[in-house]
Amino acid sequence: MNIVILAAGMGKRMQSALPKVLHPLAGKPLLSHVIDTARTLSPSALCVVYGHGGEAVPDLLKSSDLEFAKQEPQLGTGHAVMQAVPYLKDTVPTLVLYGDVPLISARTLQRLLDNSGGDKLSILTVELNDPTGYGRIVRECGHIVRIVEQKDASEAERAICEVNSGIMVVPTVLLKKWLATLSNDNAQGEYYLTDIVAQAVADGLPVRSAQPDAVWETLGVNSKSQLADLERIYQRNVADRLLEQGVTLADPNRIDVRGSLTCGRDVTIDVNCVFEGKVQLEDGVSIGANCVIKDAKIARGAVIKPFCHIEEAVIGADSVIGPYARLRPGTELAEDVHIGNFVEVKNSHIAAHSKANHLAYVGDATVGSRVNVGAGTITCNYDGANKHRTVIEDDVFIGSDTQLVAPVTVGKGATLGAGTTLTKDAPAGQLTVSRPKQVSVAGWQRPVKTKK
């Protein structure tokens, strides 16, 4: 089939310079959701009609399988589809979608396509308790004869609760014929795509309908309030799927998945956690409250305590992270590694059973097994121009408030005394200390505040 996605609207009620279809839902643009669903149908042609926002839409979403047609000025849905005509193949039907209706499912669209049979006009309709603002489906003897827009509808027609979602599939040759005869003689002075329904009836073409699995599939976004509503619907759907898979969620209404989240058995997720990109949680992982995790793999039995920020990191089995830890890109932790509160790790490999329990920075480092990194320790990896690597071998003990000025190596089994500033390699198995001589001054008195 051909698929045309209408995405040219301004979205005045969004109160934003960003084109409406580029506003994010679950971490990606509204339009991207529609495009991704369209791709699952394997269309022979996929055309996005854009307009408001200039080239922002094609610049952000350009892809080898997408064609872009510009609608300028915007003169209605029929006029928008006209812009896509050069990209439509006559031998297959055309499915019309909307870039601001992000939750439409492939299952519903396939039902609509099946109803059309490839040679009939088929419309996705939905029953609403309050149909205000929607085009009404007018039937005679049970058959659809036309669609009337809210502003053009009579009082009796406005009482109809079956409405047009805007999504339809049309034989392409007839679509092109009907588009050429559209008129803008209506209350809004626009060319309505819905007017082709009456033309189909006049030409004797059967007009069929299909309904979505859920009303929310057809809901569009015209304001930030509506965007927020759809965000919650999307996230609750994700939460329900996780619950069905056996994931324990402390509160299904307080989780945000902005990408893909894969969970093993007996995974527990506390409230207000955000998952971005591709996140994998293996069996028995526990995620504490208020964590942000992006593009990460967390192995079995790991415990992530509250308020951690993890990005592009791999965490080994049975490790304990946080609270208030930050793992930055390039971090790889082996099994049973402990990273405690206010510890930051970046572009570093830490081997099994090592720990940095508080107030430390480990950057551009290779850390061996059974290493203890004391509180206040930092790897000084940046000289103002270049990054340098620190190597800490197995069984090293690093005292508190130590600075390791890279490039430097701490040999196996070495001990660094508290307060050491290490600028040369520390020999294996030895104690290395670098600190000023301690002095006590007899008779010294602390200054007192002068009375005024």
Side-chain angles (χ1 to χ4, degrees):
M1 80 208 77
N2 307 304
I3 295 182
V4 177
I5 303 175
L6 305 187
M10 179 180 294
K12 291 181 180 179
R13 290 167 56 195
M14 300 296 285
Q15 300 293 331
S16 173
L18 185 69
K20 178 173 67 171
V21 295
L22 296 185
H23 282 264
L25 183 144
K28 70 180 181 182
L30 295 170
L31 179 54
S32 291
H33 286 272
V34 184
I35 290 172
D36 288 348
T37 300
R39 284 175 172 145
T40 67
L41 301 173
S42 301
S44 49
L46 181 51
C47 181
V48 175
V49 180
Y50 71 101
H52 178 68
E55 302 302 312
V57 171
D59 285 349
L60 181 66
L61 301 176
K62 58 186 175 184
S63 175
S64 60
D65 67 333
L66 294 178
E67 300 288 353
F68 290 93
K70 190 170 186 178
Q71 183 192 21
E72 193 175 38
Q74 285 87 56
L75 300 176
T77 53
H79 179 256
V81 177
M82 292 178 197
Q83 313 313 305
V85 163
Y87 304 102
L88 305 183
K89 300 175 182 178
D90 291 346
T91 54
V92 292
T94 295
L95 173 64
V96 179
L97 304 176
Y98 290 80
D100 62 351
V101 182
L103 302 186
I104 189 66
S105 71
R107 177 176 170 177
T108 289
L109 294 178
Q110 190 60 59
R111 184 183 306 126
L112 179 69
L113 291 162
D114 292 343
N115 279 4
S116 77
D119 59 355
K120 302 173 186 67
L121 174 58
S122 189
I123 306 166
L124 189 68
T125 71
V126 64
E127 294 275 346
L128 296 179
N129 293 328
D130 180 8
T132 303
Y134 287 85
R136 308 305 201 274
I137 301 295
V138 180
R139 294 179 181 264
E140 292 180 2
C141 301
H143 300 291
I144 297 175
V145 294
R146 62 192 175 92
I147 299 174
V148 60
E149 297 299 323
Q150 168 90 17
K151 292 185 178 180
D152 301 301
S154 66
E155 185 174 346
E157 290 168 338
R158 290 184 182 185
I160 297 170
C161 291
E162 184 183 14
V163 303
N164 171 40
S165 71
I167 296 172
M168 62 176 66
V169 58
V170 192
T172 302
V173 171
L174 293 174
L175 174 64
K176 291 179 178 179
K177 170 191 168 185
W178 295 330
L179 287 174
T181 63
L182 287 182
S183 167
N184 65 346
D185 184 16
N186 51 60
Q188 290 185 259
E190 295 184 349
Y191 297 92
Y192 295 147
L193 179 63
T194 50
D195 286 348
I196 70 172
V197 174
Q199 296 189 46
V201 172
D203 286 352
L205 185 76
V207 179
R208 296 185 172 179
S209 64
Q211 288 70 46
D213 291 330
V215 171
W216 48 256
E217 287 190 48
T218 66
L219 298 180
V221 173
N222 292 299
S223 66
K224 292 291 180 66
S225 176
Q226 291 175 345
L227 178 61
D229 290 342
L230 290 196
E231 180 76 40
R232 285 302 95 208
I233 291 170
Y234 179 95
Q235 297 298 345
R236 183 60 205 233
N237 289 339
V238 171
D240 287 343
R241 288 195 294 271
L242 292 171
L243 291 168
E244 290 171 3
Q245 294 165 15
V247 177
T248 298
L249 301 178
D251 185 345
N253 293 314
R254 288 191 284 170
I255 181 174
D256 283 82
V257 178
R258 302 168 187 169
S260 67
L261 174 61
T262 304
C263 297
R265 294 173 63 87
D266 299 312
V267 168
T268 300
I269 301 173
D270 210 331
V271 299
N272 299 329
C273 291
V274 178
F275 300 92
E276 300 180 343
K278 185 177 181 180
V279 176
Q280 181 178 347
L281 308 179
E282 295 186 355
D283 294 353
V285 167
S286 174
I287 308 294
N290 303 293
C291 290
V292 178
I293 302 176
K294 179 178 181 180
D295 293 319
K297 180 178 180 180
I298 302 177
R300 58 175 176 77
V303 175
I304 312 299
K305 294 183 178 181
F307 295 98
C308 290
H309 192 289
I310 299 169
E311 180 178 1
E312 296 180 29
V314 176
I315 298 172
D318 300 315
S319 293
V320 179
I321 312 299
Y324 294 99
R326 184 182 183 194
L327 305 185
R328 292 171 57 191
T331 295
E332 292 189 21
L333 310 181
E335 65 177 0
D336 187 36
V337 171
H338 290 209
I339 302 296
N341 49 285
F342 304 106
V343 175
E344 179 179 353
V345 183
K346 189 256 327 181
N347 192 32
S348 296
H349 294 194
I350 301 180
H353 315 299
S354 291
K355 56 186 178 180
N357 277 331
H358 10 250
L359 304 164
Y361 171 66
V362 180
D364 296 290
T366 300
V367 180
S369 298
R370 298 173 300 279
V371 170
N372 180 85
V373 178
T377 295
I378 60 172
T379 55
C380 305
N381 56 324
Y382 183 53
D383 63 9
N386 300 294
K387 299 289 180 68
H388 301 279
R389 199 150 192 90
T390 297
V391 176
I392 303 171
E393 296 181 351
D394 295 345
D395 299 304
V396 166
F397 183 95
I398 299 176
S400 298
D401 196 28
T402 294
Q403 301 86 46
L404 297 94
V405 183
V408 70
T409 297
V410 182
K412 183 177 181 179
T415 298
L416 302 186
T420 292
T421 298
L422 192 72
T423 58
K424 299 178 182 179
D425 292 351
Q430 296 184 20
L431 169 65
T432 299
V433 180
S434 167
R435 61 168 73 121
K437 181 180 178 181
Q438 183 171 315
V439 176
S440 298
V441 179
W444 179 84
Q445 293 186 350
R446 182 182 301 165
V448 295
K449 189 172 182 179
T450 304
K451 294 182 179 180
K452 294 183 180 179

